[in-house]
Amino acid sequence: MPVPDRYFDIMVAMGLVYFASAIWYNMIHAIVPTPYLDEVFHIGQARNYVFGKWSVWDPKITTPPGLYIVSYLQSKISRDPFQSPNPEEFTGSFRTINVFASMYLAWVVHRLLFLNVETHGEEQLGTDEACKPRAELIAATINICLFPPLFFFYGLFYTDVLSALSVLIAYRFFLSKEEYSLLCAGVVSLWFRQTNIFWVAIYLGGLAVCRTLPKGRPEIEFPRQPTFFDIVEGSWKHASVYDPLISQAYFEDYIKTGISLTIAAAAQLKTVYLATICYQTLLLLFGSFVSWNRGVVLGDKENHTVSIHLAQMLYIWPYFMFFSLPLLHSYLLNPLDSRTNTRLVPGFGGTRAILPRPIVAIPTMAVMTMIVHFNTIVHPFTLADNRHYMFYVFRILRWHPSVKYLAVPIYFICAWAAITALGNLPEEYNLHTEQQGERVLRVEKKKGVLPEPCPKPLSGNRASFLLIWLLSTSLSLVTAPLVEPRYFILPWLMWRLHTQSPGPWSHLLQARKQTSISRQEIVRSALSTKNCEQRLQLERFWFLAINILIGYIFLEKGFEWPQEPGKVQRFIW
């Protein structure tokens, strides 16, 4: 892709996202011109900083002051609106910060997709930039930025947008291997939310380890179907990792990958140490903050104590399924299609499994049931505030004692679909590596091999990525007793960035004149491109529908509490 075209694409994505954010901001400001809910605390604290009252801190605020520092810097550019005594004027000024942040978020997301997050920075695009379908990149960028729990806060003065943006910037520096910039971005992200440490240190640090350690090749470092003894021996002897593609992995392969990764890291301890100095520094800085603060949260410590809340890792899967239904519905419908018995459906069951194996499904659901029984935590805030949608979700779960147990199969099915989607390989093709060790992507058909318009190394989400993503997600969620949709934004962003990466199959039609395969085969090959475009369009319409509905309810369906007559309450994520 020529450089001017690439910049044009970024500008288009940024402009469209900014346009949508500005419309949402104007609609909110026209009907809710004064601070609402947590904005009362955030804007009050930001105004303290704007007026130079650096020693004043609201004890109800739990997050670091990054949002208020940005407000202070913004006030130096346009001082009058931020210092205005008129609440409507200064509220609108503070809210515009997230509107501008949404535009920059679009740029970062586009860059992450362009850098091909599937490779974890292992392979750069080099000169095959033309392989990236421009329309799909723009569409995916806009869709991700329209994610409803994120889009909602573009028009309000909350921490979530800048928090997510700072982590994605750190991820972008990771992919481009700019360690000093990554360290700075990581430190900045910790000024917005404490749990970002799990993404800038644990998540990126884990990916850095995987990038540093060589991957074992079948029949060279590891047998084709290695036993656990083969994994231990090969990982220590060759200091390489057994790390199959998710699309080719069985459940036990994830256990083997975890063991292999640990042993290979121990075998190259010095190399791993040097490769993770940046992330160790972030952990050290965060540990110093916790020691100085005598806790993780800054204020309201009584209501925000750290606890083990494993049920959070159950709630996340229906969350993914609901918002990403256009991407995940096919994984639920495939088992109902009698023609899928020869399809490639990646997932926990292996490359040719349609449904998870009973030996995996039954123990997994048993563990989920135990978590529901012993570790379901309902925070008092959840049951006390009917302005949040989680209030109504938990009313359903608490409607009858059996309901929370009946939800276990739903958790499992949604989890299986979300994890399977990370395999994100086209259903008609078989991906494999060459035995000589150099990874090459080949699209193999029964009647021949389609020529590659842009050959590139085999890429895709590997078992190690899933393990690291699950670890980071778990650490960021299970320590929070309160369940809020906002807490799932970063896990969803990382998952979504890895479920849609336009691959070489999107350009199979370009090879039509270069192949001897029949016209019917070419048409069938092209269907994957059409289906990908349709899924992106469906996802966009789905997000727009949710945003319009949630926006309408927020703006037009206000209500009053009997104890606060005359004050309009509004529904919020």
Side-chain angles (χ1 to χ4, degrees):
M1 181 187 299
V3 173
D5 290 343
R6 190 204 325 161
Y7 288 148
F8 175 78
D9 292 348
I10 295 176
M11 291 174 62
V12 168
M14 292 173 65
L16 291 174
V17 171
Y18 176 77
F19 179 72
S21 303
I23 292 177
W24 175 231
Y25 160 81
N26 287 322
M27 293 175 65
I28 291 180
H29 195 59
I31 299 177
V32 192
T34 56
Y36 178 69
L37 209 59
D38 289 357
E39 280 189 316
V40 174
F41 308 111
H42 292 313
I43 291 179
Q45 184 60 45
R47 280 177 65 81
N48 287 334
Y49 279 25
V50 168
F51 285 105
K53 301 177 182 178
W54 298 97
S55 60
V56 179
W57 183 260
D58 189 331
K60 289 294 183 180
I61 296 176
T62 62
T63 52
L67 179 64
Y68 320 125
I69 294 175
V70 172
S71 303
Y72 170 78
L73 297 175
Q74 181 71 14
S75 71
K76 294 302 180 182
I77 300 175
S78 53
R79 181 184 301 272
D80 293 340
F82 287 89
Q83 295 186 353
S84 171
N86 184 353
E88 295 186 9
E89 187 173 354
F90 66 69
T91 298
S93 298
F94 285 111
R95 287 174 175 172
T96 57
I97 291 176
N98 280 338
V99 176
F100 290 112
S102 70
M103 184 170 57
Y104 192 33
L105 181 71
W107 180 82
V108 177
V109 169
H110 187 277
R111 292 303 300 160
L112 288 172
L113 292 172
F114 184 80
L115 286 171
N116 193 3
V117 292
E118 286 185 351
T119 64
H120 304 166
E122 294 172 34
E123 301 116 357
Q124 298 301 315
L125 293 176
T127 59
D128 72 342
E129 293 179 355
C131 289
K132 283 293 182 182
R134 295 170 55 190
E136 290 181 19
L137 278 176
I138 296 175
T141 299
I142 295 172
N143 288 4
I144 291 173
C145 293
L146 289 177
F147 181 54
L150 185 63
F151 180 85
F152 184 86
F153 293 102
Y154 291 160
L156 295 174
F157 190 66
Y158 273 65
T159 309
D160 304 271
V161 177
L162 288 176
S163 173
L165 174 61
S166 62
V167 172
L168 293 185
I169 290 174
Y171 197 5
R172 183 252 184 267
F173 287 134
F174 168 81
L175 290 178
S176 57
K177 301 182 180 179
E178 302 175 51
E179 289 197 2
Y180 293 109
S181 298
L182 190 160
L183 178 60
C184 294
V187 172
V188 169
S189 73
L190 297 180
W191 282 84
F192 291 104
R193 181 157 288 167
Q194 296 92 323
T195 52
N196 286 349
I197 186 65
F198 301 122
W199 295 104
V200 298
I202 304 301
Y203 177 73
L204 297 184
L207 295 183
V209 172
C210 294
R211 184 166 65 183
T212 301
L213 298 174
K215 291 177 175 57
R217 295 158 293 181
E219 298 185 358
I220 299 180
E221 285 85 4
F222 299 103
R224 279 287 175 183
Q225 296 179 341
T227 64
F228 281 94
F229 177 79
D230 295 327
I231 295 297
V232 173
E233 181 184 32
S235 300
W236 181 260
K237 182 178 179 181
H238 302 288
S240 58
V241 181
Y242 175 73
D243 195 7
L245 292 168
I246 291 177
S247 58
Q248 299 172 343
Y250 287 88
F251 179 80
E252 52 269 25
D253 286 319
Y254 296 98
I255 302 176
K256 293 176 181 179
T257 298
I259 295 173
S260 178
L261 191 60
T262 303
I263 295 175
Q268 296 195 57
L269 196 57
K270 182 178 179 180
T271 302
V272 170
Y273 172 79
L274 294 176
T276 57
I277 289 179
C278 172
Y279 313 101
Q280 296 174 50
T281 303
L282 290 172
L283 288 172
L284 180 62
L285 292 174
F286 182 74
S288 301
F289 160 76
V290 173
S291 177
W292 168 80
N293 187 53
R294 297 183 180 180
V296 176
V297 297
L298 288 174
D300 200 17
K301 296 183 179 181
E302 297 78 10
N303 294 313
H304 293 83
T305 56
V306 176
S307 60
I308 304 300
H309 191 187
L310 298 177
Q312 294 268 32
M313 288 305 296
L314 303 182
Y315 305 142
I316 191 174
W317 305 118
Y319 178 94
F320 278 25
M321 176 59 71
F322 173 74
F323 288 111
S324 296
L325 188 62
L327 300 181
L328 298 179
H329 74 279
S330 61
Y331 297 101
L332 302 180
L333 297 178
N334 270 334
L336 304 178
D337 188 348
S338 61
R339 296 170 298 174
T340 58
N341 55 354
T342 59
R343 284 187 186 174
L344 174 64
V345 182
F348 265 148
T351 56
R352 294 204 175 271
I354 300 302
L355 290 172
R357 293 169 295 165
I359 196 174
V360 173
I362 294 174
T364 301
M365 285 194 284
V367 172
M368 288 180 169
T369 303
M370 293 177 63
I371 291 174
V372 167
H373 184 76
F374 293 106
N375 199 236
T376 296
I377 299 175
V378 183
H379 197 281
F381 285 1
T382 302
L383 301 179
D385 196 340
N386 65 345
R387 294 170 296 185
H388 294 274
Y389 290 103
M390 293 310 301
F391 171 86
Y392 302 96
V393 172
F394 275 90
R395 282 190 64 177
I396 296 173
L397 291 175
R398 291 165 59 88
W399 178 69
H400 188 274
S402 64
V403 173
K404 62 180 181 180
Y405 299 105
L406 294 175
V408 168
I410 298 176
Y411 298 147
F412 177 78
I413 292 171
C414 293
W416 171 77
I419 292 174
T420 299
L422 288 173
N424 69 356
L425 300 177
E427 295 176 353
E428 292 85 355
Y429 309 125
N430 174 32
L431 300 182
H432 59 88
T433 57
E434 298 212 346
Q435 295 184 0
Q436 282 72 20
E438 180 181 5
R439 292 178 293 174
V440 177
L441 179 59
R442 297 198 302 175
V443 183
E444 187 172 82
K445 306 295 294 181
K446 292 181 179 179
K447 297 183 180 181
V449 179
L450 292 176
E452 298 177 84
C454 298
K456 62 180 292 185
L458 174 61
S459 64
N461 300 314
R462 295 184 174 272
S464 59
F465 165 76
L466 178 59
L467 295 177
I468 293 168
W469 177 80
L470 284 174
L471 174 63
S472 305
T473 300
S474 300
L475 290 174
S476 65
L477 293 180
V478 300
T479 54
L482 189 62
V483 181
E484 286 199 28
R486 295 183 297 150
Y487 296 168
F488 301 116
I489 289 177
L490 269 173
W492 183 89
L493 285 174
M494 297 302 180
W495 173 86
R496 180 61 182 82
L497 285 168
H498 286 263
T499 53
Q500 179 59 50
S501 181
W505 54 83
S506 297
H507 284 276
L508 287 174
L509 284 177
Q510 297 179 4
R512 177 176 298 180
K513 297 180 180 180
Q514 306 173 24
T515 182
S516 58
I517 298 178
S518 67
R519 182 183 180 86
Q520 290 78 6
E521 290 296 312
I522 291 293
V523 172
R524 289 181 57 195
S525 301
L527 288 178
S528 61
T529 303
K530 183 178 180 180
N531 290 338
C532 180
E533 293 173 352
Q534 290 176 344
R535 284 193 296 268
L536 288 173
Q537 292 175 2
L538 185 59
E539 180 186 42
R540 190 179 314 114
F541 292 143
W542 179 243
F543 283 173
L544 287 173
I546 294 175
N547 286 328
I548 291 172
L549 177 62
I550 296 299
Y552 173 77
I553 293 174
F554 175 75
L555 297 175
E556 302 295 338
K557 295 297 179 180
F559 62 97
E560 293 183 8
W561 285 341
Q563 64 271 28
E564 296 184 16
K567 185 177 181 179
V568 179
Q569 309 296 336
R570 302 180 185 277
F571 295 100
I572 193 172
W573 286 116

